[in-house]
Amino acid sequence: MPTPALPCPCGLPATYPECCGRFHSGARQAPTAELLMRSRFSAFAVGDTAYLLRSWHPSTRPAGLDLDPGQRWERLEILATQRGGMFETEGSVEFRAHYREGRHTGSLHEHSAFAREAGAWVYVGPLSPVDFD
């Protein structure tokens, strides 16, 4: 879990409890597709598989999720967003997520679809092939 005084793993300047931590705890729901994407990145960074599964669309959600303990998600770049606002029901976010495994660094580039399900934003899946650099 990140230190409360440090910036959130998602890259926004707020602290983890004020930013993605409030979504992970269930105290609030992400109001936009981009904030849901950021909160999902932070969930990967802190190992919150319950939140990842909760924020996944039921039609594409896996039965379980095992995160690699040797992989550290370090930085998120939001490259583009389409729709996904507070009053919309669909949207997409293109991002690059940077990770480290031991001495190896890499990134995951994805253009993802998001939808509102029962009023909450959820991750549907990739719109374009997943690209590992």
Side-chain angles (χ1 to χ4, degrees):
M1 201 57 73
T3 305
L6 291 179
C8 189
C10 80
L12 294 177
T15 63
Y16 173 75
E18 295 169 338
C19 195
C20 294
R22 63 196 168 139
F23 304 136
H24 295 174
S25 72
R28 301 252 338 255
Q29 290 185 350
T32 66
E34 179 182 337
L35 285 176
L36 181 71
M37 177 59 237
R38 288 181 178 279
S39 71
R40 286 179 56 80
F41 174 83
S42 290
F44 275 103
V46 302
D48 190 343
T49 56
Y51 179 77
L52 290 166
L53 291 170
R54 253 191 346 266
S55 62
W56 212 309
H57 194 278
S59 69
T60 57
R61 180 188 308 134
L65 192 59
D66 292 320
L67 301 181
D68 182 348
Q71 189 174 53
R72 293 195 45 205
W73 293 95
E74 297 187 325
R75 184 169 56 93
L76 177 67
E77 292 177 85
I78 300 294
L79 305 174
T81 60
Q82 293 178 317
R83 300 178 319 278
M86 291 174 43
F87 303 107
E88 296 175 292
T89 58
E90 295 181 341
S92 67
V93 178
E94 182 181 5
F95 68 92
R96 181 170 285 118
H98 298 268
Y99 64 89
R100 174 179 298 280
E101 285 187 84
R103 293 183 182 194
H104 173 75
T105 60
S107 65
L108 164 71
H109 181 195
E110 185 176 301
H111 187 192
S112 301
F114 294 86
R116 277 200 200 266
E117 184 76 17
W121 282 106
V122 290
Y123 169 75
V124 178
L127 289 169
S128 60
V130 174
D131 178 25
F132 280 96
D133 298 329

